[in-house]
Amino acid sequence: GLTLNASKCYIQTTAHTARTPGHPTVESMQFPFVHPDRGFKYLGTQFTLTGGVATELNTRIAIAWGKFHAIWPLLKRKCTSLQKRMRLFDANVGRSMLWCCESWTLTIKDKQRLQTIERAMLRRFAATRRQADEDYITWLRRATHTAESARGKISIRSWNASVGFRK
């Protein structure tokens, strides 16, 4: 009694699909080929046959920045406690970034990129402003330390602590 929904079905193969004639047809329904590098989205996760988790990581980073900007008016409110803003950040941005991360196996470069993005976001709302006589690098180190210390005090795990790793 089940029926096939052709709009939700794709064919992904490592063969060069541009040379494959037409689209496969089942009971007069056509199914499109999906390029192995682009993949397709299933339950909010981007699946590809090539590129490891790079495509999914890029997708998740874009989604996380989108969530960050969506809740920015709440994050920048200094009249709200930093603890509440950190929890809001974790519940919205962090969870969006780490959706299905249990299946990821990141390289060292991927983990560094993830840490850089998380720190940049935290500094924007949790760190102190740059002092007039302070050079940029000194401020960057101080602001990062301040933001990570605040996160640690309320027991929010870093994004890197939540994902897999390979060399």
Side-chain angles (χ1 to χ4, degrees):
L2 297 176
T3 59
L4 191 60
N5 186 345
S7 68
K8 294 183 176 181
C9 296
Y10 302 99
I11 296 174
Q12 189 173 36
T13 175
T14 56
H16 191 277
T17 57
R19 285 185 251 161
T20 307
H23 294 284
T25 306
V26 175
E27 295 181 8
S28 73
M29 292 183 282
Q30 288 189 343
F31 300 97
F33 281 103
V34 177
H35 194 278
D37 293 337
R38 273 182 268 137
F40 59 93
K41 196 167 254 196
Y42 179 73
L43 296 177
T45 302
Q46 191 73 26
F47 284 99
T48 61
L49 290 178
T50 60
V53 297
T55 303
E56 173 62 7
L57 188 61
N58 290 338
T59 301
R60 291 279 117 207
I61 289 169
I63 290 169
W65 274 113
K67 293 286 185 177
F68 182 83
H69 292 299
I71 64 170
W72 175 245
L74 298 171
L75 292 175
K76 70 178 181 179
R77 292 182 59 153
K78 299 290 183 184
C79 61
T80 304
S81 75
L82 181 56
Q83 180 178 4
K84 287 181 181 177
R85 291 183 287 145
M86 281 277 198
R87 291 197 189 285
L88 177 68
F89 172 79
D90 184 50
N92 285 274
V93 181
R95 303 288 158 84
S96 296
M97 179 65 223
L98 299 175
W99 174 260
C100 290
C101 71
E102 297 83 6
S103 63
W104 298 352
T105 306
L106 301 180
T107 62
I108 292 172
K109 187 177 179 180
D110 292 334
K111 287 191 81 133
Q112 288 171 341
R113 183 173 175 214
L114 197 60
Q115 183 181 48
T116 300
I117 291 165
E118 181 186 22
R119 285 177 169 176
M121 289 180 180
L122 288 172
R123 276 192 306 268
R124 287 189 77 183
F125 73 93
T128 57
R129 293 190 178 266
R130 187 173 166 191
Q131 297 169 359
D133 60 340
E134 188 173 35
D135 67 285
Y136 181 74
I137 299 298
T138 304
W139 170 80
L140 193 64
R141 288 182 181 141
R142 184 175 59 81
T144 301
H145 177 73
T146 302
E148 288 189 334
S149 293
R151 181 187 60 205
K153 287 178 185 174
I154 56 174
S155 302
I156 294 175
R157 289 177 57 181
S158 72
W159 294 350
N160 273 334
S162 302
V163 295
F165 175 70
R166 72 177 163 85
K167 290 184 180 182

